[in-house]
Amino acid sequence: MSGRGRRAALPPTDYRKAPVLDADGLVIRPVSGAGTPLGVYDFRDSPGPVDFRRALVAGLAAQGRGWGSEDTYQTNASTLRLLFRDAAAAEPSVAATEQITVEWWKQWTGDIHVRRVLAAVVRRAPGVPEATRVFLQTPRRRPPSRRGRPRKQGHTREELRRIRDAAAATVRAGRLRIAANTAVLQRWRAGAIERGDGDWPLGEVLDVLARTGDLPRYPTDQAVTAYAERACGFEGNAASLSRLFATPAEIGAAAVLLIVHEAWNLSVLKKMDVPTWWPNADREDPAVHQVDTDKARRGRRRHASNTLVDVGEGSSGRALRHVLELTAPARTTLEALGRPTTKLLVGHRGLGGGENLRDYALGAALDGAIRRWQQQVRAGGVDLPARVNSQALRHSAQAHHGRARNNTQATHERDYQLQDEDVRAASRGAVELGLAQALASARQTVAMRLVAEADAEGEVSAELVAKEAGIDLEVARRIVAGRLRTPVASCADFLNSDHSTAGMPCAVSFLLCFACRNAVATGRDLPRIAYLHQALESLRSAVTSAVWAADWATHHARIGDFLTTYTTTDARPQLVAAVADSERDLIHAMLERRLDP
């Protein structure tokens, strides 16, 4: 149903979705869920038997049904072509999917990540041996050299400021150059420049450039005309083309500038369109830009929007305005050429004709543009830090902005702040102080009592518990019988907790049993307590320092002090090994707060 309650129109009864595979099974023509063509991938020229190629191409088509990125298709198609070449060159050659053994696959992929990713395609191909299919479906551990999650060393605030200023200066220079030439073109077209005036030849050449995306050329050898070279001051074709269009280095600078301000992924920038709506559009000069973003890896939450406010130089809104001005003439020319685009980052990417006037949505062109910008500014004497790339910039901007940017708060804390060496170093003092205070407090408040000798049922154990814990014998019998057990120990008085209203059932987490005078542990509870301490240790590496200090540090310190008091370090592994699977599940349910009242 539509938003107004009318039933949506159905397609014609004879409608059939266009097949992704051509009739010969060697050409893929994928389309995204939004109906956008994602390229054409032709494997007819690849080496190897036709049936072998058809089987693997069919696997690629099947795996790619959910893809919405042309880059993803290009990467996997390129890797599959490489597989065909290497399979044909192998001794003996691999000529059928039945010959893709686990041993051959291991040898071919090695430690090359992009080849290992192709496993999802290969396992879908018909004829692959079952042993190979199972191997490809089993998650592989990282090799020892890459095992673990390395810390990220981002740019400092000062380095990030230097990068931002250098990128802004490049964008500003390009914008002013294009604006000056656009003004000459507009005056020429308006008739404000008369034939014979000094700017007449330049205006005439700029008019051709704006209409065709290229400089005037001789029809015979396609060389730029002498008239055009003279009008532009013999500056060279690249400089003449840049009179109206951004250079690759300037597009790289624009990408760097926007990443520093908004921490956008490179994939988001590649696909970014110009804003089409301004919240304060009633103003003559809107100061608020709303930009739509598309981040495919976020799945159903891939589409979002960002609001960039222009409050002057140095603001994200002003940066976006400058990028729009830098690239606007290129979009105007593409529309005149019958190739309209709404992409934000558009420029001239070569010395040839209008075919080189295009966006940076595909491939590694935008990465290359950022590298060219670095080389250019470093050659000009600008002191840039090492590793100026999109990933390092995004990580640094995300860490220093202090809040989630185009991801969830959990991702922001786990993958950016927790992994950033500078953030960890800056917070180390506060975290250590908080942990020390939590430990001191926990040691003062461990109230749970342990009767280690009482580890079996019987009157003797009950009397021992009653005597050591100072509780009624009948309550001790119920503790020994297991009728008062909690996930961590036993409770001698459920209605009079130290942490709840007297006379009311206890309503706090079982972790607070360690700080309650009603809690009584026996020898049979020690294995669970040791496992709980180990589970908290594992949890510590999965949360941020701030979350650990706020939610878990006190409990961890209290339990650790309890174990230090009543057990030895050497005995704890044996205690943990004695915990049954059902008890492990109980501990994890408690930590996930599924047992809270």
Side-chain angles (χ1 to χ4, degrees):
M1 300 289 281
S2 70
R4 295 178 180 270
R6 295 192 298 270
R7 187 177 296 278
L10 295 174
T13 55
D14 60 347
Y15 171 80
R16 294 293 182 274
K17 183 179 178 180
V20 173
L21 276 172
D22 279 9
D24 61 6
L26 294 174
V27 180
I28 305 177
R29 304 177 190 273
V31 178
S32 72
T36 305
L38 299 177
V40 178
Y41 306 95
D42 190 343
F43 295 89
R44 289 175 294 191
D45 294 335
S46 295
V50 171
D51 290 341
F52 178 51
R53 285 180 285 146
R54 279 179 182 152
L56 288 170
V57 171
L60 176 61
Q63 180 66 19
R65 286 196 185 105
W67 294 344
S69 167
E70 189 165 347
D71 279 346
T72 303
Y73 264 105
Q74 286 185 342
T75 300
N76 281 272
S78 297
T79 309
L80 184 56
R81 290 190 181 97
L82 178 62
L83 185 148
F84 286 141
R85 289 198 297 270
D86 290 349
E91 291 292 343
S93 64
V94 176
T97 53
E98 290 81 2
Q99 296 175 338
I100 301 179
T101 62
V102 173
E103 291 71 22
W104 186 86
W105 177 259
K106 286 181 177 179
Q107 182 181 5
W108 183 73
T109 56
D111 189 24
I112 303 175
H113 175 70
V114 72
R115 297 191 185 184
R116 292 162 66 115
V117 168
L118 197 66
V121 170
V122 174
R123 71 175 184 237
R124 287 181 173 269
V128 174
E130 185 61 25
T132 304
R133 198 183 308 278
V134 170
F135 178 81
L136 298 179
Q137 289 175 338
T138 304
R140 304 263 76 80
R141 295 188 67 189
R142 285 187 173 188
S145 60
R146 298 177 59 197
R147 200 164 292 161
R149 174 170 285 190
R151 303 289 181 229
K152 297 179 180 179
Q153 186 67 47
H155 300 295
T156 65
R157 289 183 181 273
E158 175 59 25
E159 289 175 338
L160 209 58
R161 184 193 62 77
R162 292 208 315 268
I163 295 170
R164 182 201 64 193
D165 291 348
T170 301
V171 171
R172 185 184 308 113
R175 177 177 60 87
L176 294 177
R177 180 193 69 246
I178 290 173
N181 283 277
T182 300
V184 172
L185 173 61
Q186 291 173 343
R187 289 173 52 231
W188 186 88
R189 286 178 170 176
I193 300 176
E194 297 182 358
R195 188 179 295 274
D197 288 349
D199 282 341
W200 175 273
L202 179 59
E204 191 173 13
V205 171
L206 291 175
D207 178 65
V208 174
L209 181 59
R211 287 186 290 105
T212 68
D214 195 11
L215 299 166
R217 296 179 182 271
Y218 292 116
T220 52
D221 57 3
Q222 292 300 303
V224 175
T225 64
Y227 179 79
E229 290 182 336
R230 186 166 53 253
C232 294
F234 299 99
E235 60 191 352
N237 293 352
S240 298
L241 288 168
S242 70
R243 284 180 173 269
L244 292 182
F245 309 127
T247 66
E250 288 164 351
I251 293 296
V256 167
L257 185 61
L258 293 175
I259 293 172
V260 171
H261 276 289
E262 289 297 311
W264 280 322
N265 288 83
L266 203 64
S267 62
V268 171
L269 276 174
K270 287 179 179 182
K271 295 179 285 188
M272 185 169 288
D273 293 327
V274 297
T276 57
W277 184 72
W278 290 263
N280 61 342
D282 53 330
R283 288 181 39 164
E284 181 179 346
D285 188 16
V288 180
H289 307 273
Q290 183 165 304
V291 180
D292 294 328
T293 60
D294 180 6
K295 188 175 179 181
R297 70 174 62 179
R298 298 194 72 190
R300 58 185 177 84
R301 296 180 297 171
R302 62 184 294 175
H303 297 288
S305 63
N306 292 69
T307 300
L308 281 65
V309 182
D310 184 353
V311 291
E313 289 294 334
S315 65
S316 59
R318 182 60 58 88
L320 179 62
R321 178 195 290 187
H322 287 172
V323 174
L324 287 167
E325 293 173 358
L326 176 73
T327 58
R331 283 188 291 275
T332 302
T333 299
L334 283 171
E335 186 172 6
L337 292 172
R339 294 157 44 206
T341 183
T342 58
K343 292 292 179 281
L344 175 64
L345 300 181
V346 185
H348 214 290
R349 290 170 51 183
L351 295 179
E355 69 276 4
N356 286 319
L357 186 64
R358 58 188 189 274
D359 59 42
Y360 286 73
L362 299 178
L366 194 52
D367 268 316
I370 292 175
R371 287 194 296 273
R372 291 181 68 170
W373 170 73
Q374 288 184 73
Q375 295 167 358
Q376 178 177 297
V377 295
R378 283 195 172 104
V382 177
D383 181 22
L384 286 182
R387 300 176 298 103
V388 179
N389 56 63
S390 61
Q391 189 174 20
L393 287 171
R394 170 171 164 72
H395 168 79
S396 303
Q398 178 104 358
H400 291 310
H401 283 327
R403 63 180 176 86
R405 294 292 182 105
N406 306 290
N407 47 34
T408 64
Q409 185 65 27
T411 300
H412 169 67
E413 294 175 352
R414 182 187 66 246
D415 294 341
Y416 292 91
Q417 290 193 316
L418 185 61
Q419 300 303 320
D420 185 85
E421 288 288 2
D422 293 334
V423 172
R424 292 169 67 91
S427 60
R428 186 168 290 121
V431 171
E432 288 175 351
L433 177 61
L435 293 176
Q437 292 173 343
L439 178 60
S441 174
R443 284 175 172 165
Q444 294 173 1
T445 57
V446 175
M448 179 187 287
R449 291 156 291 178
L450 174 70
V451 185
E453 295 82 1
D455 58 358
E457 296 185 22
E459 188 65 20
V460 175
S461 292
E463 292 175 354
L464 183 60
V465 169
K467 178 182 177 180
E468 295 292 330
I471 60 177
D472 183 76
L473 179 60
E474 182 58 34
V475 174
R477 290 190 181 112
R478 295 171 68 190
I479 288 175
V480 170
R483 293 199 294 270
L484 299 179
R485 291 183 68 185
T486 71
V488 294
S490 296
C491 182
D493 192 348
F494 182 63
L495 297 177
N496 290 286
S497 168
D498 290 342
H499 306 287
S500 295
T501 305
M504 299 295 292
C506 182
V508 299
S509 168
F510 289 111
L511 288 171
L512 283 171
C513 289
F514 292 91
C516 182
R517 291 170 296 173
N518 293 328
V520 178
T522 64
R524 64 189 176 193
D525 296 317
L526 282 176
R528 288 200 313 282
I529 295 173
Y531 183 75
L532 171 60
H533 189 261
Q534 178 179 286
L536 282 173
E537 287 283 357
S538 300
L539 179 64
R540 187 175 192 167
S541 63
V543 299
T544 64
S545 299
V547 170
W548 174 259
D551 296 344
W552 303 103
T554 300
H555 299 302
H556 175 265
R558 190 178 289 126
I559 297 168
D561 192 56
F562 180 90
L563 288 172
T564 300
T565 303
Y566 295 112
T567 68
T568 64
T569 304
D570 293 338
R572 286 172 207 159
Q574 287 79 17
L575 290 172
V576 171
V579 181
D581 290 342
S582 59
E583 294 181 316
R584 293 171 187 258
D585 294 340
L586 188 67
I587 293 297
H588 288 296
M590 181 182 68
L591 293 180
E592 293 167 7
R593 311 302 293 268
R594 289 189 277 125
L595 302 182
D596 287 3

